Amino acid sequence: MTGSVFTHTALLYATAAEYLDATVAFVRAARREDRPVLVAVPGADLERIRAGVGGDDGVTWWDAEATSRNPGRIIPALLGYCARHAGRRPALLGQPMWVGRTGAERAAVAVHEALVNLAFAGVEATALCPYDTAGLHASDVDVARRTHPSLAGIAGLAANAGYAPDSVLAERNAPLVAPAAATAMPYDAIATLRLLRRAVGERAAAVGLSEDRAADLEFVVTELATNTLRHGGGRGVLHLWADGDALVCQVSDGGVLSDPLAGRLPVEPTAERGRGLLLTHQMCDLVEVSTGPTGTVVRVRMRR
């Protein structure tokens, strides 16, 4: 299994000792082969693994709670890392799911995991994704079983007969419906975009977003609405609402998003399509997408 181009394995563990033993062994095995290693796990676990591995310049450490809070950022970041180490078969220890994630984040992780093998087709790398079978929701562990071609645990490594990522994508593509109390703003012309930006700026100030984050959100909404005018039928609706410490913006139009990896693959700065959704993932705390014959909805969340 380790000799194929890309391997994607879920590590199913139930105790802290199992977690540490398996992750440290994964890192050490790759370093013995002089392969570069990226460890992207939540901060406390990051320090435990680092202590177990010891000092090693061949290991890159990312705190997943910062770099992977929005799961839509993970694939382009990992692809970038692999491109920088092409020919050396990087080892990727990535933990996109952890105890404490919100329901919307957990759904986004499921979509991310279901897309990993498609995104990394032809990439020479080995990925291991830890899942806490004792602490996580049973549905999250079920997603792990359906999105990884191989499974690892105390019984060893084995091919996964239950691998079915398309079933996960189908479940997570349910229509996104704005709450009844949300502000709705239809738009259909460039002139209207100025009104959308103003509305976003005013609501951002009302929920306490900083000027920089408000400006980022205005930019994102403008990009999404402009995409509607160019590729989504020429008209759409922006919904705005506050949710706890965040402002949520939802853009709906009649376009169909045919590429499931849209916004998750690196694109050239001059590219006509794909750049807006990529920037949306990079700038927002969470991005959710649903698409089908009746249109596409993109929901973004920005926290204070």
Side-chain angles (χ1 to χ4, degrees):
M1 299 176 75
T2 57
S4 61
V5 175
F6 177 67
T7 61
H8 185 208
T9 303
L11 169 63
L12 304 180
Y13 70 93
T15 69
E18 291 174 14
Y19 174 89
L20 191 61
D21 288 348
T23 55
V24 169
F26 177 80
V27 174
R28 287 178 174 170
R31 292 304 299 140
R32 282 196 298 270
E33 299 174 355
D34 195 31
R35 295 162 54 202
V37 179
L38 172 63
V39 179
V41 303
D45 290 329
L46 192 76
E47 295 309 315
R48 294 170 56 213
I49 298 171
R50 193 200 299 261
V53 170
D56 189 329
D57 293 339
V59 182
T60 300
W61 305 93
W62 289 356
D63 183 350
E65 290 183 284
T67 62
S68 307
R69 175 62 65 178
N70 173 9
R73 297 175 187 163
I74 300 174
I75 286 175
L78 296 185
L79 286 173
Y81 180 85
C82 290
R84 293 191 294 274
H85 298 281
R88 298 186 61 199
R89 192 170 178 78
L92 312 172
L93 176 57
Q95 185 173 342
M97 184 68 76
W98 56 80
V99 175
R101 278 230 191 241
T102 67
E105 289 172 352
R106 290 165 49 221
V109 170
V111 171
H112 156 75
E113 289 281 44
L115 292 172
V116 166
N117 291 282
L118 179 63
F120 280 79
V123 177
E124 292 189 3
T126 302
L128 182 68
C129 305
Y131 277 78
D132 181 357
T133 59
L136 292 171
H137 292 261
S139 60
D140 297 330
V141 178
D142 175 64
V143 164
R145 294 182 181 277
R146 287 191 285 156
T147 56
H148 294 77
S150 55
L151 303 176
I154 58 174
L157 179 68
N160 178 18
Y163 177 61
D166 288 348
S167 68
V168 174
L169 291 176
E171 291 172 2
R172 297 310 188 275
N173 195 38
L176 296 169
V177 179
T183 299
M185 297 186 63
Y187 59 92
D188 60 4
I190 294 294
T192 310
L193 298 187
R194 290 195 291 270
L195 299 179
L196 299 186
R197 287 195 296 271
R198 183 185 307 165
V200 170
E202 291 174 352
R203 291 297 297 271
V207 301
L209 265 65
S210 68
E211 290 186 8
D212 287 345
R213 289 177 73 74
D216 285 348
L217 195 54
E218 290 177 36
F219 173 84
V220 163
V221 169
T222 301
E223 284 287 314
L224 295 175
T226 299
N227 189 66
T228 292
L229 300 182
R230 292 176 178 172
H231 311 293
R235 62 179 59 191
V237 180
L238 168 67
H239 286 90
L240 299 170
W241 69 94
D243 183 15
D245 66 346
L247 179 60
V248 183
C249 302
Q250 179 171 297
V251 173
S252 311
D253 62 38
V256 177
L257 197 59
S258 59
D259 182 2
L261 291 173
R264 298 174 190 263
L265 298 178
V267 296
E268 294 296 327
T270 56
E272 282 191 24
R273 304 193 68 169
R275 183 169 174 269
L277 197 51
L278 178 66
L279 289 173
T280 297
H281 275 292
Q282 300 304 313
M283 300 173 78
C284 295
D285 293 313
L286 190 67
V287 180
E288 300 170 83
V289 179
S290 67
T291 189
T294 60
T296 295
V297 179
V298 180
R299 177 183 294 177
V300 302
R301 179 180 301 265
M302 189 76 85
R303 290 193 181 95
R304 284 199 294 269

